[in-house]
Every structure is written in structure tokens, then in C-alpha cells.
């Protein structure tokens, strides 16, 4: 999937702008300097830091705004902060360790359009940015088939002063870039298992007692590369994991842990690298460290992660309370001869399973993958869409994980996919118990 991605390694990047008072040429008298053409003496607050504000959309993370740390300047007149007061330039470069053979590692160097400006509750100034070229935080490398987090360098230029309520103008001497901030992504801690598998973990807020665990397995585009194992793309490239942390999902599950591991290369190397065993070890380590209900461990995955979710549950059929497999890459359009073993898929028979796919998927054929698997698993649920559309946008037919991330699929009785997952429970013997 072709998404664009950004780096949390942004601290220290400095964007300089010298905005000086311009003396009045009309009067030439001392004490009547004009800050960039305005009639008040400009006040210079020195260096001001700013954050890049990320938002993970259905097609990946974008920098949707920048926030200027001006809370120490009291009395900014909101009406004086116009979008035209600032210019924003964005440069995105491939990180070290990525060699594409291109003459430059610069992916984009663009002016970001400032569409609006407002004052936040704490007194900072937030500049809203238009989407489009240069907005993304990730770059998809076609040859490698991976999304990588970009190194981002933003430069902010003040073109007009900001007016305080006391009538003074503010002119910023220097803007210094800080971190990429994305509250949904940042809610996940970052860690690594004892055998080297990196993962991100969301812990439910104010949860008491044992809570369920949702394991999200990303697609092939979110895996690592040799020398570049960032533990980022599985959260930033789509909302697959983030959907389970939304207030709606957390309410449905009664507060759930969500873990999103990242494979160092590809789930397709499971046999050689032992990824099934490493994922099972991840669950065991989390269970030892957190209050996780062993009867309510759920797994969901998309594309290559949909394949891996099937293989994981088939290998440990008594572990997981439910399985949701989206566009599972158990066969591929580009390699029709390849298909997962039918006997392995049939081992899902004792695990409540829900398949999701779009009929216009150009990467994984819905009939030879999802329909075929559904027919091998008695009692499994299946939801097929004609295309992938959400929020007025049409996406690649392979991106049917958008529907899972938005809790869209429903069973015949109207039960949503998240509600269905939350109702599945394993008993003490590892058998599927009745729905809660």
C-alpha cells in the first residue's frame, strides 16, 4: 500500500527565520518603527519552538498542523492571527540506511498551505495545513514494498506580526522544530521482546481487573528492512491498530490492551524465522507483566498480517478467543500458484472467525482467498464489499482493513465486528465458551 510516513526523530532540526522591525520610511522619526509594516514597535520573544501535529487518516499519517509554543506570550489577539501571517515549508527525506539509487534522498520539498490559524486553550498558536503533496509522514518504497518513516524538516516564516491585546506587535526571531506529536500513536509505548521482536503497546485507562488483549498484525508494507527496523509504520500507515484504542472500541471491550508487533522483514518468512513462536512468546510476556484475561485474547490482521493471523491461530488453536482476518494473503494475484495449505486453514474450526474482503481487491483475489478460506471453516462469518469507500473517499480495493478499523462490518443480527469480538471467550480448557 502506497502511503507516506514521518519521523519522531525530529528534535534538533532547526528552522530559522529572522523577522526584523522595518523602520518607517514615511516619517523617519525615532520610536516609530513598523514591525513588517504595522504601526507598533515589534516585541521580539526570541526563539519559539513548534511541534508537528500528526493525524493517522485512513490512508496513513499526515502532518495536519503545526503548533507554535507561544503560551508564554499573554494576551494574543486571536483575530490578529491570520493564515497569511505565516509560511510553512516542508522537506521530507529518506532516513539513513535506505538506498534507492536515486540522485537525492529528498522525497518532497514543498510549501504547505496554511488554511487556518487559531489559539489553543493553553495560548499556543496552531496553524492548520492543507493535505496533499508533502503532508505525509511515510514514504512507500516500491522496490522494497515497505513504508519508512521520513526525516522531516519544517521551516516556518513569519510574514506578518501578531498583535497583543495591549497593542504591541510580536515578531518571532527564530522558530525551532520539535517532535512529531500524534496523541493516538504516542499512547502506545515502545518495547521489544526477549527474542528481539519489536512492538507497540496500548494500555487501557483506569481499567481494573483482567482485561482483554487485541493483537494487531500489520500488512507487508509495514514490515522492517535490513538495517531499518523503526517500530513505527504498523501504527502510522493505517488505523488498523488505532481503531481498537478509540473510545468506542474501549467501551465495547470494557478496556482492552492492544499490541501491534512489527516484523523485522516480512511475515512470509515465518517458517525460517519462527514468527509464530515469537508472537506466542510476545503474548506470554505481556501476560506475565500485565493483567490480561487469558480467556479473551483476540487476533486481527490484514493482508500479509491476515495470513499471519491465520497461521498463528492454526498453530495455537486453544489460545485465541477470536480471529478477524482481512484480505488475507493466502494467495496472490501475482502468484496464482501459491496458496496456504487447506489443512492449516481448517484448524481454525474451533476458533470464532470473521473474514473481511473487497471484491475489487487487485492484490489478493477475494474468491480464491477469503471465500475459499470461509468455506473451509464451518460457522465462520464473512463480509464482502464491492469496493473500499469511507468518508466520501474511494481507496484501493486491497485496503478493506479500513472497514475493520471503523467497526463497519456487521453480522446478520446487527452485531458489529468489535462487539462480536468482545463477546467471544475461551473457557479454562481452551475451548470456545458461549458468547458473553
Amino acid at each position: 500500500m502506497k502511503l507516506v510516513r514521518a519521523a519522531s526523530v525530529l528534535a534538533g532540526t532547526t528552522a530559522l527565520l529572522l523577522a526584523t522591525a522595518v523602520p518607517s520610511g514615511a516619517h523617519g522619526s525615532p520610536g516609530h518603527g513598523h514591525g513588517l509594516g504595522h504601526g507598533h514597535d515589534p516585541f521580539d520573544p526570541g526563539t519559539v519552538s513548534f511541534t508537528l501535529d500528526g493525524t493517522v487518516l485512513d490512508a496513513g499519517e499526515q502532518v495536519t498542523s503545526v503548533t507554535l509554543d507561544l503560551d508564554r506570550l499573554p494576551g494574543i489577539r486571536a483575530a490578529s492571527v491570520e493564515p497569511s501571517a505565516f509560511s510553512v515549508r516542508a522537506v521530507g527525506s529518506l532516513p539513513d540506511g535506505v538506498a534507492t539509487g536515486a540522485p537525492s534522498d529528498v522525497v518532497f520539498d514543498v510549501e504547505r498551505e496554511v488554511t487556518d490559524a487559531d489559539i489553543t486553550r493553553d495560548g499556543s498558536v496552531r496553524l492548520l495545513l492543507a493535505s496533499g503533496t508533502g503532508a505525509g509522514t511515510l514514504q512507500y518504497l516500491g522496490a522494497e514494498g515497505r513504508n519508512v518513516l521520513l526525516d522531516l524538516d519544517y521551516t516556518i516564516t513569519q510574514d506578518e506580526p501578531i498583535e497583543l491585546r495591549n497593542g504591541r506587535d510580536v515578531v518571532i526571531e527564530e522558530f525551532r522544530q520539535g517532535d512529531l506529536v500524534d496523541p493516538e500513536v504516542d499512547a502506545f509505548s515502545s518495547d521489544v521482546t526477549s527474542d528481539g521482536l519489536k512492538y507497540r503497546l496500548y494500555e487501557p485507562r483506569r481499567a481494573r481487573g483482567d482485561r482483554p488483549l487485541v493483537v494487531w498484525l500489520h500488512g507487508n508494507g509495514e514490515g522492517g528492512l535490513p538495517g531499518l527496523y523503526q517500530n513505527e509504520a504498523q501504527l502510522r500507515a493505517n488505523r488498523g491498530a488505532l481503531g481498537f484504542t478509540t473510545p468506542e472500541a474501549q467501551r465495547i471491550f470494557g478496556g482492552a490492551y492492544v499490541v501491534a508487533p512489527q516484523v523485522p522483514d516480512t511475515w512470509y518468512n515465518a517458517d525460517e524465522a519462527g514468527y509464530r513462536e515469537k508472537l506466542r512468546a510476545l503474548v506470554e510476556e505481556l501476560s506475565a507483566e500485565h493483567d490480561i484475561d487469558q480467556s479473551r485474547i483476540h487476533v486481527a490482521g490484514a493482508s500479509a498480517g491476515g495470513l499471519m493471523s491465520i497461521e498463528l491461530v492454526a498453530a495455537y488453536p486453544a489460545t485465541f478467543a477470536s480471529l478477524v482476518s482481512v484480505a488475507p494473503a493466502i494467495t496472490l494475484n501475482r502468484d496464482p500458484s501459491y496458496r496456504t495449505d487447506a489443512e492449516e486453514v481448517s484448524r481454525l474450526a474451533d476458533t470464532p472467525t470473521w473474514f473481511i474482503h473487497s471484491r475489487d481487491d487487485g492484490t489478493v483475489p477475494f474468491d480464491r482467498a477469503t471465500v475459499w478460506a470461509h468455506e473451509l471453516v464451518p460457522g465462520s462469518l464473512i463480509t464482502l464489499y464491492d469496493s473500499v469507500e469511507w468518508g466520501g473517499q474511494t481507496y484501493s480495493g486491497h485496503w478493506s482493513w479500513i472497514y475493520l478499523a471503523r467497526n463497519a462490518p456487521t453480522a446478520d443480527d446487527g452485531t458489529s465486528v468489535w462487539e462480536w469480538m468482545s463477546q467471544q471467550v475461551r473457557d479454562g480448557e481452551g475451548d470456545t465458551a458461549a458468547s458473553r
Side-chain angles (χ1 to χ4, degrees):
M1 51 191 254
K2 299 187 177 179
L3 302 173
V4 199
R5 164 185 176 203
S8 330
V9 289
L10 305 173
T13 302
T14 303
L16 298 178
L17 162 72
L18 298 179
T20 57
V22 180
S24 168
H27 302 284
S29 56
H32 293 279
H34 291 256
L36 293 179
H38 283 237
H40 303 290
D41 293 335
F43 171 61
D44 178 6
T47 299
V48 170
S49 61
F50 65 93
T51 60
L52 306 181
D53 307 324
T55 304
V56 179
L57 308 174
D58 290 310
E61 187 181 53
Q62 293 188 9
V63 175
T64 52
S65 64
V66 293
T67 299
L68 315 182
D69 184 15
L70 289 170
D71 58 325
R72 60 192 174 90
L73 288 180
I76 296 176
R77 290 185 64 249
S80 75
V81 184
E82 296 287 343
S84 59
F86 298 93
S87 300
V88 178
R89 189 166 193 85
V91 178
S93 303
L94 295 175
D96 292 340
V98 176
T100 63
S104 171
D105 62 358
V106 174
V107 174
F108 55 77
D109 184 347
V110 298
E111 293 288 338
R112 296 290 310 276
E113 179 187 356
V114 181
T115 60
D116 201 358
D118 59 28
I119 308 298
T120 65
R121 188 171 296 180
D122 67 359
S124 297
V125 173
R126 181 171 56 215
L127 308 178
L128 279 66
L129 305 175
S131 60
T133 302
T137 66
L138 306 173
Q139 176 65 24
Y140 183 79
L141 305 176
E144 294 82 359
R146 298 289 188 279
N147 288 289
V148 298
L149 189 61
L150 292 171
D151 291 335
L152 296 182
D153 187 357
Y154 271 60
T155 303
I156 297 179
T157 303
Q158 184 176 358
D159 301 315
E160 301 170 7
I162 299 173
E163 186 179 346
L164 303 181
R165 282 195 290 269
N166 63 10
R168 300 186 71 181
D169 286 344
V170 174
V171 178
I172 313 301
E173 178 181 346
E174 178 184 349
F175 291 96
R176 180 170 297 156
Q177 180 174 308
D179 291 336
L180 171 65
V181 176
D182 188 326
E184 287 187 301
V185 172
D186 298 341
F188 285 75
S189 61
S190 179
D191 213 331
V192 59
T193 65
S194 58
D195 54 11
L197 188 65
K198 292 184 178 182
Y199 65 90
R200 303 293 293 269
L201 177 67
Y202 174 88
E203 300 182 39
R205 297 185 178 93
R206 297 182 296 276
R208 296 182 179 179
D210 290 349
R211 299 291 91 198
L213 170 67
V214 177
V215 182
W216 169 256
L217 300 181
H218 62 75
N220 202 51
E222 290 73 66
L225 288 170
L228 194 67
Y229 188 21
Q230 297 173 305
N231 203 18
E232 297 281 356
Q234 75 270 36
L235 297 183
R236 300 186 190 273
N238 57 59
R239 296 191 56 79
L242 302 184
F244 292 107
T245 70
T246 59
E248 179 190 3
Q250 288 294 302
R251 175 186 58 80
I252 289 173
F253 282 93
Y257 291 88
V258 181
V259 65
Q262 186 188 35
V263 69
D265 42 26
T266 173
W267 297 122
Y268 297 126
N269 288 342
D271 290 340
E272 299 82 358
Y275 289 135
R276 301 177 194 84
E277 295 80 6
K278 290 181 179 181
L279 287 170
R280 175 61 182 141
L282 166 63
V283 171
E284 291 175 345
E285 289 184 22
L286 293 177
S287 299
E289 298 169 4
H290 303 279
D291 295 328
I292 292 174
D293 186 343
Q294 297 302 295
S295 69
R296 293 186 289 160
I297 300 176
H298 311 275
V299 61
S303 191
L307 165 64
M308 191 69 246
S309 67
I310 290 173
E311 294 187 355
L312 179 62
V313 172
Y316 303 100
T319 298
F320 298 99
S322 73
L323 162 65
V324 180
S325 185
V326 185
I330 54 183
T331 186
L332 300 170
N333 278 331
R334 68 172 182 268
D335 186 6
S337 64
Y338 162 73
R339 174 176 275 168
T340 299
D341 185 76
E343 181 181 350
E344 185 172 39
V345 176
S346 66
R347 288 201 289 270
L348 306 179
D350 293 331
T351 301
T353 300
W354 193 324
F355 296 102
I356 301 169
H357 213 137
S358 180
R359 292 183 176 89
D360 67 342
D361 189 333
T363 302
V364 177
F366 82 95
D367 51 351
R368 298 186 63 249
T370 288
V371 173
W372 174 78
H374 165 63
E375 292 174 350
L376 288 172
V377 183
S380 63
L381 301 179
I382 185 171
T383 300
L384 297 176
Y385 294 91
D386 291 330
S387 58
V388 180
E389 300 178 20
W390 195 263
Q393 300 290 321
T394 299
Y395 299 95
S396 163
H398 188 48
W399 294 9
S400 46
W401 49 80
I402 289 175
Y403 290 116
L404 173 60
R406 298 295 184 176
N407 194 29
T410 56
D412 291 341
D413 62 359
T415 302
S416 74
V417 64
W418 293 350
E419 291 170 334
W420 174 85
M421 291 175 69
S422 72
Q423 294 168 1
Q424 310 308 316
V425 182
R426 284 275 179 195
D427 65 18
E429 303 301 320
D431 297 324
T432 304
S435 296
R436 294 191 299 138

